[in-house]
PDB file of all heavy atoms in Angstrom:
ATOM      1  N   VAL A  49     -77.851  27.448  73.867  1.00  0.00           N
ATOM      2  CA  VAL A  49     -78.380  27.568  75.147  1.00  0.00           C
ATOM      3  C   VAL A  49     -78.788  26.190  75.722  1.00  0.00           C
ATOM      4  O   VAL A  49     -79.798  25.660  75.122  1.00  0.00           O
ATOM      5  CB  VAL A  49     -79.516  28.557  75.310  1.00  0.00           C
ATOM      6  CG1 VAL A  49     -79.946  28.738  76.701  1.00  0.00           C
ATOM      7  CG2 VAL A  49     -79.049  29.990  74.720  1.00  0.00           C
ATOM      8  N   ASP A  50     -78.050  25.484  76.440  1.00  0.00           N
ATOM      9  CA  ASP A  50     -78.335  24.192  77.071  1.00  0.00           C
ATOM     10  C   ASP A  50     -79.315  24.251  78.169  1.00  0.00           C
ATOM     11  O   ASP A  50     -78.916  24.830  79.221  1.00  0.00           O
ATOM     12  CB  ASP A  50     -77.101  23.560  77.352  1.00  0.00           C
ATOM     13  CG  ASP A  50     -77.195  22.185  77.863  1.00  0.00           C
ATOM     14  OD1 ASP A  50     -78.297  21.734  78.082  1.00  0.00           O
ATOM     15  OD2 ASP A  50     -76.099  21.380  77.973  1.00  0.00           O
ATOM     16  N   VAL A  51     -80.565  23.847  78.054  1.00  0.00           N
ATOM     17  CA  VAL A  51     -81.481  23.898  79.049  1.00  0.00           C
ATOM     18  C   VAL A  51     -81.684  22.571  79.778  1.00  0.00           C
ATOM     19  O   VAL A  51     -82.810  22.431  80.501  1.00  0.00           O
ATOM     20  CB  VAL A  51     -82.865  24.486  78.420  1.00  0.00           C
ATOM     21  CG1 VAL A  51     -82.640  25.878  77.954  1.00  0.00           C
ATOM     22  CG2 VAL A  51     -83.390  23.565  77.329  1.00  0.00           C
ATOM     23  N   ALA A  52     -80.882  21.650  79.628  1.00  0.00           N
ATOM     24  CA  ALA A  52     -81.023  20.392  80.328  1.00  0.00           C
ATOM     25  C   ALA A  52     -81.210  20.473  81.836  1.00  0.00           C
ATOM     26  O   ALA A  52     -81.935  19.776  82.447  1.00  0.00           O
ATOM     27  CB  ALA A  52     -79.728  19.442  80.001  1.00  0.00           C
ATOM     28  N   GLY A  53     -80.589  21.542  82.430  1.00  0.00           N
ATOM     29  CA  GLY A  53     -80.611  21.716  83.889  1.00  0.00           C
ATOM     30  C   GLY A  53     -81.733  22.637  84.407  1.00  0.00           C
ATOM     31  O   GLY A  53     -81.711  23.003  85.574  1.00  0.00           O
ATOM     32  N   VAL A  54     -82.547  23.104  83.423  1.00  0.00           N
ATOM     33  CA  VAL A  54     -83.576  24.058  83.792  1.00  0.00           C
ATOM     34  C   VAL A  54     -84.809  23.271  84.541  1.00  0.00           C
ATOM     35  O   VAL A  54     -85.275  22.347  84.023  1.00  0.00           O
ATOM     36  CB  VAL A  54     -84.073  24.792  82.540  1.00  0.00           C
ATOM     37  CG1 VAL A  54     -85.313  25.692  82.863  1.00  0.00           C
ATOM     38  CG2 VAL A  54     -82.972  25.756  82.015  1.00  0.00           C
ATOM     39  N   THR A  55     -85.085  23.847  85.690  1.00  0.00           N
ATOM     40  CA  THR A  55     -86.240  23.226  86.422  1.00  0.00           C
ATOM     41  C   THR A  55     -87.515  24.012  86.274  1.00  0.00           C
ATOM     42  O   THR A  55     -88.602  23.447  86.517  1.00  0.00           O
ATOM     43  CB  THR A  55     -85.810  23.135  87.881  1.00  0.00           C
ATOM     44  OG1 THR A  55     -85.455  24.505  88.371  1.00  0.00           O
ATOM     45  CG2 THR A  55     -84.559  22.248  88.107  1.00  0.00           C
ATOM     46  N   VAL A  56     -87.409  25.212  86.011  1.00  0.00           N
ATOM     47  CA  VAL A  56     -88.591  26.163  85.865  1.00  0.00           C
ATOM     48  C   VAL A  56     -88.386  26.965  84.645  1.00  0.00           C
ATOM     49  O   VAL A  56     -87.191  27.584  84.554  1.00  0.00           O
ATOM     50  CB  VAL A  56     -88.832  27.043  87.149  1.00  0.00           C
ATOM     51  CG1 VAL A  56     -89.916  28.061  86.819  1.00  0.00           C
ATOM     52  CG2 VAL A  56     -89.172  26.128  88.283  1.00  0.00           C
ATOM     53  N   LEU A  57     -89.398  27.202  83.816  1.00  0.00           N
ATOM     54  CA  LEU A  57     -89.177  28.146  82.665  1.00  0.00           C
ATOM     55  C   LEU A  57     -90.626  28.795  82.493  1.00  0.00           C
ATOM     56  O   LEU A  57     -91.585  28.108  82.086  1.00  0.00           O
ATOM     57  CB  LEU A  57     -88.793  27.364  81.437  1.00  0.00           C
ATOM     58  CG  LEU A  57     -88.637  28.223  80.162  1.00  0.00           C
ATOM     59  CD1 LEU A  57     -87.590  29.199  80.218  1.00  0.00           C
ATOM     60  CD2 LEU A  57     -88.425  27.278  78.946  1.00  0.00           C
ATOM     61  N   ASP A  58     -90.586  30.153  82.751  1.00  0.00           N
ATOM     62  CA  ASP A  58     -91.899  30.802  82.509  1.00  0.00           C
ATOM     63  C   ASP A  58     -91.844  31.699  81.268  1.00  0.00           C
ATOM     64  O   ASP A  58     -90.861  31.573  80.531  1.00  0.00           O
ATOM     65  CB  ASP A  58     -92.162  31.671  83.865  1.00  0.00           C
ATOM     66  CG  ASP A  58     -91.444  32.945  83.947  1.00  0.00           C
ATOM     67  OD1 ASP A  58     -90.466  33.250  83.113  1.00  0.00           O
ATOM     68  OD2 ASP A  58     -91.526  33.695  84.962  1.00  0.00           O
ATOM     69  N   SER A  59     -92.954  32.415  81.059  1.00  0.00           N
ATOM     70  CA  SER A  59     -93.112  33.233  79.903  1.00  0.00           C
ATOM     71  C   SER A  59     -91.956  34.256  79.648  1.00  0.00           C
ATOM     72  O   SER A  59     -91.506  34.498  78.600  1.00  0.00           O
ATOM     73  CB  SER A  59     -94.492  33.843  79.760  1.00  0.00           C
ATOM     74  OG  SER A  59     -94.555  34.704  80.830  1.00  0.00           O
ATOM     75  N   THR A  60     -91.547  34.809  80.788  1.00  0.00           N
ATOM     76  CA  THR A  60     -90.439  35.816  80.760  1.00  0.00           C
ATOM     77  C   THR A  60     -89.206  35.208  80.280  1.00  0.00           C
ATOM     78  O   THR A  60     -88.394  35.789  79.509  1.00  0.00           O
ATOM     79  CB  THR A  60     -90.261  36.562  82.175  1.00  0.00           C
ATOM     80  OG1 THR A  60     -91.473  37.054  82.583  1.00  0.00           O
ATOM     81  CG2 THR A  60     -89.158  37.511  82.036  1.00  0.00           C
ATOM     82  N   GLY A  61     -88.935  33.972  80.727  1.00  0.00           N
ATOM     83  CA  GLY A  61     -87.690  33.268  80.281  1.00  0.00           C
ATOM     84  C   GLY A  61     -87.690  32.938  78.841  1.00  0.00           C
ATOM     85  O   GLY A  61     -86.851  33.203  78.060  1.00  0.00           O
ATOM     86  N   ILE A  62     -88.890  32.472  78.330  1.00  0.00           N
ATOM     87  CA  ILE A  62     -89.046  32.257  76.879  1.00  0.00           C
ATOM     88  C   ILE A  62     -88.940  33.475  76.137  1.00  0.00           C
ATOM     89  O   ILE A  62     -88.164  33.503  75.152  1.00  0.00           O
ATOM     90  CB  ILE A  62     -90.373  31.532  76.684  1.00  0.00           C
ATOM     91  CG1 ILE A  62     -90.475  30.134  77.332  1.00  0.00           C
ATOM     92  CG2 ILE A  62     -90.532  31.441  75.162  1.00  0.00           C
ATOM     93  CD1 ILE A  62     -91.781  29.461  77.194  1.00  0.00           C
ATOM     94  N   GLY A  63     -89.552  34.617  76.534  1.00  0.00           N
ATOM     95  CA  GLY A  63     -89.442  35.870  75.887  1.00  0.00           C
ATOM     96  C   GLY A  63     -87.968  36.355  75.816  1.00  0.00           C
ATOM     97  O   GLY A  63     -87.599  36.791  74.796  1.00  0.00           O
ATOM     98  N   THR A  64     -87.268  36.186  76.928  1.00  0.00           N
ATOM     99  CA  THR A  64     -85.853  36.618  76.878  1.00  0.00           C
ATOM    100  C   THR A  64     -85.096  35.835  75.892  1.00  0.00           C
ATOM    101  O   THR A  64     -84.278  36.387  75.196  1.00  0.00           O
ATOM    102  CB  THR A  64     -85.229  36.443  78.221  1.00  0.00           C
ATOM    103  OG1 THR A  64     -86.019  37.265  79.172  1.00  0.00           O
ATOM    104  CG2 THR A  64     -83.777  36.823  78.304  1.00  0.00           C
ATOM    105  N   LEU A  65     -85.222  34.514  75.752  1.00  0.00           N
ATOM    106  CA  LEU A  65     -84.494  33.730  74.832  1.00  0.00           C
ATOM    107  C   LEU A  65     -84.940  34.077  73.301  1.00  0.00           C
ATOM    108  O   LEU A  65     -84.119  34.109  72.457  1.00  0.00           O
ATOM    109  CB  LEU A  65     -84.804  32.185  75.014  1.00  0.00           C
ATOM    110  CG  LEU A  65     -84.168  31.697  76.330  1.00  0.00           C
ATOM    111  CD1 LEU A  65     -84.670  30.334  76.623  1.00  0.00           C
ATOM    112  CD2 LEU A  65     -82.634  31.631  76.265  1.00  0.00           C
ATOM    113  N   VAL A  66     -86.255  34.322  73.093  1.00  0.00           N
ATOM    114  CA  VAL A  66     -86.691  34.797  71.849  1.00  0.00           C
ATOM    115  C   VAL A  66     -86.007  36.065  71.392  1.00  0.00           C
ATOM    116  O   VAL A  66     -85.562  36.296  70.310  1.00  0.00           O
ATOM    117  CB  VAL A  66     -88.214  34.908  71.727  1.00  0.00           C
ATOM    118  CG1 VAL A  66     -88.625  35.506  70.460  1.00  0.00           C
ATOM    119  CG2 VAL A  66     -88.778  33.443  71.876  1.00  0.00           C
TER     120      VAL A  66
END
Side-chain angles (χ1 to χ4, degrees):
V49 183
D50 184 346
V51 296
V54 171
T55 56
V56 172
L57 180 63
D58 74 1
S59 59
T60 305
I62 293 172
T64 298
L65 291 170
V66 169

